[in-house]
Amino acid sequence: MHQFKELLIWKKSRILCSEIYNATSNFPTEEKFGLTNQLRRASVSIPSNIAEGSSRHSNKDFSRFLEIAIGSAYEVETQLLIALDLGFITSENTLKINTLLQEIIKMTSKFRADLI
């Protein structure tokens, strides 16, 4: 069992959530239940799955939750690109968030590979 609060991937994922919440606060009001909600939920899913997986008693189970976290990260990446296409977010902000997101994906993938 891992202490999720000590994991750098979990800490960086929390920072990502804050970045997503800040970025989506400027989205159009009519997107409150659309893209805003989707981005926020997908971003929150990343550290949540890392935390939940860390409570599992086998590395195989933990690995599955890390896989889900990576999937959520790719959801965020796709939704950010859609937000950029729609003009809801700037390319500068997208780049900043995406840089952090790619770092989280790489770190989580490596951590997951080391578990197996």
Side-chain angles (χ1 to χ4, degrees):
M1 202 160 20
H2 297 270
Q3 298 298 318
F4 70 91
K5 291 178 186 174
E6 296 174 11
L7 296 173
L8 187 57
I9 54 175
W10 181 80
K11 292 174 184 177
K12 286 185 178 276
S13 298
R14 285 185 55 216
I15 292 168
L16 176 73
C17 288
S18 296
E19 294 290 334
I20 292 294
Y21 268 75
N22 288 335
T24 57
S25 67
N26 297 320
F27 281 21
T29 308
E30 63 269 13
E31 283 301 318
K32 182 178 180 182
F33 299 108
L35 199 51
T36 300
N37 187 40
Q38 286 288 341
L39 263 164
R40 288 177 175 187
R41 290 173 54 116
S43 71
V44 168
S45 177
I46 299 168
S48 297
N49 276 292
I50 293 167
E52 185 174 355
S54 73
S55 72
R56 301 304 163 141
H57 295 287
S58 76
N59 285 348
K60 184 179 178 183
D61 285 343
F62 190 14
S63 176
R64 177 69 182 126
F65 280 89
L66 293 174
E67 184 179 5
I68 294 167
I70 292 167
S72 294
Y74 283 117
E75 275 187 69
V76 170
E77 183 178 16
T78 299
Q79 293 161 2
L80 277 174
L81 291 171
I82 292 168
L84 179 64
D85 292 343
L86 295 171
F88 297 163
I89 193 170
T90 66
S91 56
E92 181 182 303
N93 207 2
T94 303
L95 180 62
K96 177 184 172 188
I97 294 170
N98 199 44
T99 299
L100 177 59
L101 187 59
Q102 294 309 313
E103 185 179 0
I104 292 166
I105 291 169
K106 286 178 188 174
M107 289 174 67
T108 306
S109 295
K110 170 88 171 83
F111 184 65
R112 184 174 176 264
D114 290 346
L115 283 178
I116 300 173

